[in-house]
Amino acid sequence: MPIEMIDVRFRYSSQGPAVLDGVTLTIPDGQMIALVGPSGSGKTTLLQIIGGILKPSDGMVRCDTPVGRMRWIFQTPILLARQTVRQNIDIAISTAPWNARTREARVGEMLADVGLDGYADHRVNTLSGGQQQRVQIARALACRPPVVLADEPTGQLDHATTTLVMNAIAKARDHGTTMVLVTHDEYVASYCERVVRLEDGRIHSVKDGDARRMDDCDMVVGASDE
Ligand SMILES: Nc1ncnc2c1ncn2[C@@H]1O[C@H](COP(=O)(O)OP(=O)(O)OP(=O)(O)O)[C@@H](O)[C@H]1O
Ligand SMILES: [Mg+2]
């Protein structure tokens, strides 16, 4: 069930400029793709079109995954601030066909993956911005969703934590999740099999490369500007 976009155009208002100006792109199942490009080039708009938040003004988007099954990672986490970390993740997996013990184990696994071992019973509003971001990532990945849409998921994180989080995201991809990541960070893009660069609402370049596998080295692969 690939995500397919054909000649997608978008204007925020009928008189306004074309924010997306003929984007044609297919994202195969289980691919991890980075959307990069200058500020204002249309990355967030394109992500919102994929996720059904915006409808294209023209062109076609085809995706068999219902938008309700897609999971979002926003730049600013949206969490239940007064609830604990465990409650925030548990709600996200409450509809999964897992018993209580499996759910508990899954919460623990996700927290370990994002470096938050021991934080399950902390209230979200007592955590730092970067810790909250990691809760949001753990929550988005916990139910093994078919598609994750992430808008600058590592914007608040240091390099070591970014590596940890990208390894967690790559692990989800290895389990079959299609990941679409908007990022300004070449290191993050280097984890992706494909890097799509937008400029002025059009695809400027598409780079297919060897995605970085789970590791902690500093080599950057396949993410340079053209
Ligand atoms: N709600 C809106 N109403 C009108 N114009 C908008 C709206 N949101 C975004 N735009 C315009 O659409 C263009 C693309 O915005 P978008 O947010 O998609 O860019 P971006 O590539 O995600 O940028 P950044 O890297 O800064 O997040 C910009 O020119 C922006 O001003
Ligand atoms: Mg944006």
Side-chain angles (χ1 to χ4, degrees):
M1 299 188 279
I3 299 166
E4 224 182 327
M5 287 163 273
I6 299 174
D7 204 21
V8 166
R9 292 165 196 273
F10 185 80
R11 292 173 195 273
Y12 279 95
S13 65
S14 54
Q15 306 302 319
V19 169
L20 295 176
D21 196 12
V23 171
T24 296
L25 180 66
T26 298
I27 305 172
D29 278 349
Q31 190 170 74
M32 184 142 133
I33 185 169
L35 295 178
V36 304
S39 178
S41 57
K43 304 180 298 294
T44 295
T45 304
L46 187 59
L47 203 63
Q48 292 187 339
I49 283 180
I50 295 170
I53 292 175
L54 297 173
K55 288 221 172 311
S57 312
D58 210 345
M60 197 202 69
V61 180
R62 191 156 53 204
C63 177
D64 290 337
T65 302
V67 293
R69 291 195 63 211
M70 297 180 180
R71 291 292 171 267
W72 281 88
I73 299 170
F74 296 104
Q75 188 171 12
T76 305
I78 298 175
L79 296 165
L80 301 168
R82 293 189 189 177
Q83 307 282 312
T84 64
V85 168
R86 184 198 312 283
Q87 287 168 322
N88 270 270
I89 299 175
D90 204 41
I91 287 168
I93 56 179
S94 58
T95 55
W98 299 336
N99 62 27
R101 188 191 287 183
T102 307
R103 289 219 311 264
E104 174 71 24
R106 185 69 180 147
V107 171
E109 182 191 352
M110 292 315 304
L111 290 180
D113 280 357
V114 299
L116 287 177
D117 251 341
Y119 280 84
D121 295 317
H122 290 230
R123 279 175 195 255
V124 162
N125 60 8
T126 66
L127 302 182
S128 72
Q131 288 169 335
Q132 291 186 23
Q133 178 62 298
R134 284 184 278 158
V135 174
Q136 185 189 208
I137 291 166
R139 189 175 68 164
L141 303 180
C143 66
R144 298 202 191 287
V147 175
V148 171
L149 307 173
D151 201 348
E152 304 195 29
T154 60
Q156 310 186 45
L157 306 179
D158 60 77
H159 183 78
T161 313
T162 294
T163 297
L164 199 67
V165 158
M166 288 313 299
N167 285 344
I169 288 176
K171 189 167 154 188
R173 181 270 320 274
D174 291 346
H175 280 99
T177 297
T178 305
M179 310 280 326
V180 187
L181 307 181
V182 168
T183 185
H184 287 285
D185 184 343
E186 290 197 357
Y187 176 69
V188 168
S190 73
Y191 274 83
C192 298
E193 291 101 59
R194 179 178 270 192
V195 180
V196 175
R197 185 174 177 83
L198 284 182
E199 284 190 13
D200 294 329
R202 295 176 187 196
I203 293 182
H204 174 266
S205 62
V206 178
K207 252 188 156 169
D208 290 308
D210 295 328
R212 177 194 296 270
R213 309 315 292 191
M214 286 190 232
D215 64 22
D216 59 2
C217 72
D218 278 333
M219 184 180 63
V220 173
V221 180
S224 61
D225 292 346
E226 286 186 338

